[in-house]
Amino acid sequence: MVTWIAKNAPAITIWCAALSTFAIYSVLYAENRFYRFFEHIFIGLATGYGVYATWAQILGPKWWDPMVKQGQWYWAFAAVVGSMFYFMYSRKHAWISRVIFGLFMGLAAGGMFREFYELYFPQIGSSMKPIAGHGMSVWDSLNVVVFYVILLACMSYFFFSFDHKNAATKKTAAAGRWFLMIGFGAIFGATVMGRMTLFIGRFNFLINDWGPQVKIAWATLPFKIVIGLAVVWLIVALIRRTKPPKAKIAIEE
Amino acid sequence: MNIFTRLQTIDRRVLYLLIALVITVPLLVRPGRHPRVKFNEVRNAYKTISNVPKDKLVIISITWGPGTTAENGPQTEVMMRHLFQRGVKFAVVSWDQAGNELSYEIGKKLEKEMGKKYGVDWVHLGYRVYYPQVVFRGMAQNFQKVMEYDKFHTPLSKLPAVSGVKTSKDIGAVIEITPSGTLELWIAYFNGPYRIPLIYCPTAVMAAEAYPYIDSGQINGMLNGVIGAAQYEALIGMQNAKTDAAATSWALSAAHIFIILLIVVGNLGYLATKRAARGGNGGGR
Amino acid sequence: MGQSLHHIWTWLAMPRHGLALAVFIIGALGIGALFLGILCSVPARFRKGIVMAVTFIGGLYLSLEFLVPYKNVHTGKYPLTEVMPTVANLEIVIGCFALLLGIWNLFQIHGKTLMKFGKDWYNSAIFFLTFFSIAILGFLRDKGVHGTPEMFSILFSGFLLSLQSTTFSLIAFYIVSAAYRAFRIRSAEAGFMMVAATIIMLALVPVGALLTAWLPETGFLSAFRLERIGYWILTSPNMAAQRAIAFGVAVGALATGLRIWLSLERGSFFDRQL
């Protein structure tokens, strides 16, 4: 059995992947048990793989092996500190989990000064663009003017330190909203592309990886019988779904 | 009820079927022709990798998983291919559990195709947890101590590709391939302080927000989704290869035109319905 | 005094093997348990202070490392930066212990359903089956057991990869549906956004370049080629707008960071009675 699976693993993998793809896409027609079942397979595999990967790639070689194989016994303290996370399940001592969460949050928050400096200081510097000179064409100068107008208008839109009562600030902020729409339009256009790519990726698999496998399987009689039965089942299921439920008719009557 | 008003009531499942049909044709034909246009950031990414000294290591950072394979997979493949072509050694590190397997498979496939050797030309550092604030800084201070071993628990000192890498000075570039907001952390904790070139390969969703960093020079090059990968493929001499990225770029063309048509028809229907309602309410006002 | 402390430290840090190792590990766990026991008995009025102090110390390390880069004149090194690899390793290992937090909840929910043979019990059964299958096969694969790499691959590439990527790709269908039903140009701003989006959508893909291929590649008219207009939108107006957003975000991020570091943040996590 194991040898047979090992021998036919590539084909089995492709068939399983196609089945999984159809199971998830079936939700597009309507919510169904087939979809829910595969959703649980997904959750089980994702969490199971997570446990395996974390142990095999990190805790095993970075904690267990140094402690047990290399004799660095003091790593045992890491387990004690790590166990503090699980106090969140105790109603009485849940606060202990906050100590360790606090440490991690503090470490993440402590980087704020560096992040601010490294990320935004170069941006501020780069925003000081020359309008003319240095071999700039009229087009380049115009681009810089566009940049300044949009930057200042958009920043004024986000400036909430005083009310936008003055006509100049009000209009600048309104223009900023218009310019932000260009940015959001760009994000939206790119988002459509990104999401479509993921869908195309699945279809590419179905057409170019699963398609040839179907061609091979089609040559066998059992496959034709299975497909025939599946089609009949699908038609019956669709007919049953389109029939109005009896209980509902009774209420309406 | 005119045609546009009637179209408003169309079942969403019909639309789903139509989009599936629209993209099927380019995927069946699989045109090998790559995009003729190459954006500046893609050219700059190519230049950056072309200028990495051969005695330095390139880090390929994987933050993607199965969800975005269609976008990040081709990006990973084309970057690895270029590094193999140039003979620049690289280390792949995955911050995503499943991305660990996927990126290794891509590396293995290319290694076989291009006659390279694991451990000598490249290594895979496996999956690592993502605490960039200290891990990136620690890696820059003492690469061997923080990274220690590869995917198979082999100590880095036994892998020629990375045995000589001590600090950030031995790293020639970082390629960040990601579907999430990890760019800022690389800039803040690694590439910014140590002045190491950064190539950013985001999913298209993330790309528009990265342009300020390109303008300020904090990113040296960018591959915008799968289109960026297709453009890069053309730059490394794969103009006519029938790759997934090329096929996807044409399927995307069809999908985008279809979506634009849907927006137009949807809005015409909206206007028609609005006009009809106004006609009904206002009595020809 | 200093020298004897150093001797004790060196002696403690020495690697142990066999029975000595077991004794030391059990001893460390015992000390840890004692420490946790002490924490459990801390009166309620001191708890918030302890959490605040630990959060502050965590943040203080990285803040000082950046703001006051103290340099040792004898070694020419920065001690706070020097210990970064050790801190990184500690954070990696301790952070991994949080691994089972979410999984424990899943086990509780599905375990209860399975024990009672409740509604859709088979979903809970398949959850446990797949959870243990992939984890066990993963370890067996690493040990080189015959047939396990292929079986692992079936579970990983056949199911996990496919299920996750298909789930992600569902959004494409909702975008199609939304494009038809929801994207209504009700205002000038919406029109502005939609025009920008349409140009970007066309400019990014090869067909965009083909649509305006009849325009010359150089000269004034070349600026009207779709790919050029699209690229200009991305690199000029979009870039300026995104930078303005980034500046706003920067100030907010700095303020949030400070509030978390100094435990001034409000919300369910921070306000709860300890």
Side-chain angles (χ1 to χ4, degrees):
Chain A
M1 178 72 173
V2 174
T3 316
W4 182 84
I5 292 174
K7 204 177 148 195
N8 296 293
I12 299 171
T13 306
I14 289 174
W15 277 96
C16 291
L19 187 69
S20 308
T21 307
F22 289 124
I24 297 296
Y25 280 156
S26 71
V27 79
L28 292 170
Y29 183 76
E31 174 79 33
N32 60 77
R33 285 180 187 179
F34 189 49
Y35 166 75
R36 281 267 164 250
F37 187 71
F38 274 79
E39 195 183 45
H40 282 81
I41 293 181
F42 172 36
I43 299 166
L45 289 175
T47 46
Y49 180 77
V51 171
Y52 154 71
T54 309
W55 183 271
Q57 300 284 313
I58 301 161
L59 281 178
K62 240 178 169 44
W63 176 71
W64 184 257
D65 289 354
M67 184 171 71
V68 176
K69 291 182 184 163
Q70 294 160 26
Q72 295 170 9
W73 62 274
Y74 37 83
W75 276 110
F77 287 118
V80 176
V81 181
S83 72
M84 288 165 80
F85 285 116
Y86 295 90
F87 278 86
M88 70 186 292
Y89 291 115
S90 154
R91 210 166 276 211
K92 200 174 165 193
H93 304 297
W95 78 276
I96 294 176
S97 68
R98 280 159 189 264
V99 177
I100 188 76
F101 278 121
L103 180 70
F104 275 69
M105 283 165 79
L107 274 168
M112 69 202 147
F113 297 114
R114 180 180 291 281
E115 281 174 31
F116 191 81
Y117 171 77
E118 294 287 356
L119 283 173
Y120 301 110
F121 275 43
Q123 300 261 335
I124 296 166
S126 159
S127 299
M128 312 295 162
K129 294 179 191 297
I131 289 181
H134 302 293
M136 287 171 73
S137 65
V138 179
W139 179 242
D140 294 335
S141 300
L142 259 173
N143 254 336
V144 176
V145 172
V146 167
F147 168 79
Y148 277 128
V149 169
I150 295 178
L151 182 74
L152 295 174
C154 292
M155 280 175 73
S156 72
Y157 178 71
F158 286 120
F159 202 70
F160 302 117
S161 296
F162 56 81
D163 278 346
H164 292 184
K165 281 177 186 164
N166 179 299
T169 37
K170 210 173 173 179
K171 284 202 171 141
T172 316
R177 201 172 64 223
W178 279 69
F179 294 134
L180 281 170
M181 287 299 154
I182 303 180
F184 296 144
I187 292 177
F188 173 71
T191 302
V192 171
M193 183 170 99
R195 297 311 178 199
M196 280 298 149
T197 308
L198 305 183
F199 166 50
I200 290 165
R202 284 330 291 160
F203 253 65
N204 194 18
F205 160 77
L206 288 177
I207 292 168
N208 294 310
D209 295 331
W210 183 59
Q213 289 293 329
V214 174
K215 218 180 240 177
I216 295 167
W218 191 248
T220 60
L221 186 67
F223 182 74
K224 282 177 189 158
I225 294 169
V226 169
I227 291 294
L229 287 173
V231 169
V232 170
W233 175 77
L234 202 69
I235 292 167
V236 171
L238 284 175
I239 291 169
R240 281 175 65 182
R241 187 174 269 280
T242 45
K243 267 189 190 171
K246 277 178 188 168
K248 209 174 172 187
I249 294 168
I251 291 164
E252 279 166 8
E253 277 168 356
Chain B
M1 198 188 245
N2 67 20
I3 179 97
F4 290 117
T5 332
R6 197 167 294 173
L7 277 173
Q8 292 283 289
T9 56
I10 203 166
D11 193 310
R12 68 189 157 84
R13 284 170 287 207
V14 176
L15 299 176
Y16 296 163
L17 203 65
L18 283 175
I19 185 75
L21 288 174
V22 162
I23 62 155
T24 302
V25 180
L27 291 176
L28 276 173
V29 178
R30 273 182 88 82
R33 204 173 138 193
H34 280 65
R36 201 178 45 79
V37 179
K38 280 127 204 140
F39 294 148
N40 281 341
E41 56 267 19
V42 178
R43 287 182 196 278
N44 289 338
Y46 176 79
K47 273 185 215 158
T48 308
I49 294 298
S50 302
N51 291 331
V52 172
K54 288 196 178 171
D55 60 337
K56 291 205 174 187
L57 182 84
V58 170
I59 293 178
I60 298 185
S61 158
I62 303 289
T63 335
W64 58 275
T68 56
T69 311
E71 281 198 278
N72 297 128
Q75 290 173 334
T76 309
E77 188 170 333
V78 76
M79 296 313 290
M80 283 186 184
R81 194 180 281 277
H82 190 200
L83 289 165
F84 273 147
Q85 276 181 1
R86 277 212 61 222
V88 174
K89 292 170 180 56
F90 63 90
V92 184
V93 55
S94 176
W95 313 99
D96 182 278
Q97 291 168 341
N100 157 40
E101 303 283 340
L102 299 170
S103 53
Y104 179 71
E105 277 167 25
I106 294 172
K108 273 316 257 187
K109 187 187 94 177
L110 290 178
E111 175 195 279
K112 204 173 164 191
E113 185 189 317
M114 301 177 82
K116 299 288 173 178
K117 202 171 172 211
Y118 180 81
V120 178
D121 299 299
W122 75 294
V123 291
H124 198 296
L125 301 173
Y127 160 63
R128 304 297 165 109
V129 270
Y130 197 66
Y131 294 120
Q133 286 88 352
V134 288
V135 173
F136 289 178
R137 298 274 297 154
M139 203 164 73
Q141 291 298 314
N142 192 337
F143 187 82
Q144 301 283 328
K145 189 173 178 180
V146 176
M147 287 301 159
E148 269 182 277
Y149 49 84
D150 76 341
K151 188 175 160 61
F152 309 100
H153 306 177
T154 313
L156 297 193
S157 55
K158 290 184 182 164
L159 297 162
V162 282
S163 58
V165 181
K166 305 280 182 243
T167 64
S168 57
K169 284 180 186 147
D170 303 309
I171 292 162
V174 171
I175 301 168
E176 166 69 344
I177 306 170
T178 181
S180 48
T182 51
L183 168 72
E184 283 84 357
L185 296 161
W186 275 107
I187 294 174
Y189 295 101
F190 201 79
N191 299 78
Y194 303 104
R195 304 280 174 267
I196 297 166
L198 175 64
I199 310 286
Y200 183 45
C201 305
T203 46
V205 179
M206 314 286 303
E209 292 161 44
Y211 281 94
Y213 296 104
I214 294 175
D215 178 66
S216 58
Q218 289 164 289
I219 301 175
N220 299 71
M222 179 171 82
L223 270 62
N224 182 347
V226 76
I227 291 293
Q231 293 179 0
Y232 203 94
E233 280 179 353
L235 286 172
I236 60 167
M238 297 174 71
Q239 295 91 328
N240 299 313
K242 292 199 168 195
T243 60
D244 280 347
T248 306
S249 67
W250 290 102
L252 273 174
S253 299
H256 283 191
I257 288 178
F258 180 66
I259 286 176
I260 291 166
L261 279 176
L262 284 184
I263 295 174
V264 171
V265 175
N267 275 287
L268 287 175
Y270 166 67
L271 284 177
T273 322
K274 214 166 127 182
R275 192 168 293 176
R278 207 184 294 159
N281 294 336
R285 215 164 6 121
Chain C
M1 175 69 180
Q3 210 167 12
S4 52
L5 267 178
H6 180 73
H7 281 305
I8 295 169
W9 182 253
T10 320
W11 180 78
L12 280 174
M14 254 166 50
R16 314 282 158 173
H17 298 283
L19 188 66
L21 175 66
V23 170
F24 268 81
I25 290 176
I26 292 166
L29 291 175
I31 294 168
L34 193 71
F35 165 71
L36 292 176
I38 293 168
L39 275 184
C40 286
S41 58
V42 168
R45 64 178 186 279
F46 296 124
R47 291 174 182 174
K48 204 157 193 169
I50 293 175
V51 175
M52 281 170 74
V54 170
T55 310
F56 181 74
I57 291 166
L60 187 69
Y61 168 62
L62 276 179
S63 303
L64 281 183
E65 196 263 332
F66 173 67
L67 294 171
V68 195
Y70 160 71
K71 192 177 183 178
N72 188 325
V73 284
H74 302 295
T75 58
K77 288 176 177 172
Y78 297 91
L80 283 177
T81 314
E82 281 282 296
V83 296
M84 195 67 87
T86 309
V87 177
N89 280 338
L90 278 172
E91 194 180 7
I92 288 169
V93 170
I94 294 169
C96 280
F97 280 102
L99 166 78
L100 297 175
L101 279 184
I103 293 168
W104 178 246
N105 279 340
L106 282 169
F107 268 51
Q108 277 184 320
I109 293 163
H110 289 291
K112 270 181 201 163
T113 315
L114 206 57
M115 296 290 266
K116 289 181 194 161
F117 270 92
K119 191 175 173 272
D120 298 340
W121 61 270
Y122 47 85
N123 285 338
S124 300
I126 198 72
F127 162 76
F128 282 114
L129 184 71
T130 48
F131 178 91
F132 288 111
S133 302
I134 199 163
I136 293 167
L137 279 172
F139 289 116
L140 291 177
R141 178 188 68 156
D142 291 352
K143 292 250 179 285
V145 176
H146 170 68
T148 50
E150 290 82 4
M151 283 155 86
F152 180 85
S153 168
I154 291 170
L155 285 186
F156 184 83
S157 305
F159 288 101
L160 182 59
L161 168 64
S162 177
L163 287 166
Q164 196 169 336
S165 47
T166 312
T167 306
F168 264 62
S169 75
L170 283 176
I171 306 169
F173 291 96
Y174 303 131
I175 282 186
V176 168
S177 184
Y180 192 62
R181 296 181 195 286
F183 299 157
R184 299 283 181 260
I185 303 173
R186 290 196 171 92
S187 63
E189 280 107 324
F192 220 49
M193 182 184 144
M194 210 45 78
V195 168
T198 307
I199 294 172
I200 296 297
M201 270 196 264
L202 289 173
L204 287 174
V205 291
V207 81
L210 290 179
L211 284 174
T212 47
W214 49 274
L215 284 167
E217 288 209 29
T218 49
F220 175 73
L221 282 177
S222 69
F224 295 99
R225 289 173 74 105
L226 254 176
E227 73 270 21
R228 299 255 172 110
I229 301 174
Y231 193 64
W232 177 80
I233 289 177
L234 279 173
T235 53
S236 201
N238 166 62
M239 188 271 284
Q242 300 294 351
R243 181 165 287 171
I245 295 172
F247 284 153
V249 169
V251 179
L254 188 68
T256 310
L258 272 170
R259 290 176 69 85
I260 290 174
W261 179 35
L262 302 173
S263 295
L264 298 171
E265 188 66 13
R266 291 285 160 261
S268 64
F269 182 86
F270 302 91
D271 284 340
R272 203 178 293 170
Q273 192 63 45
L274 300 179

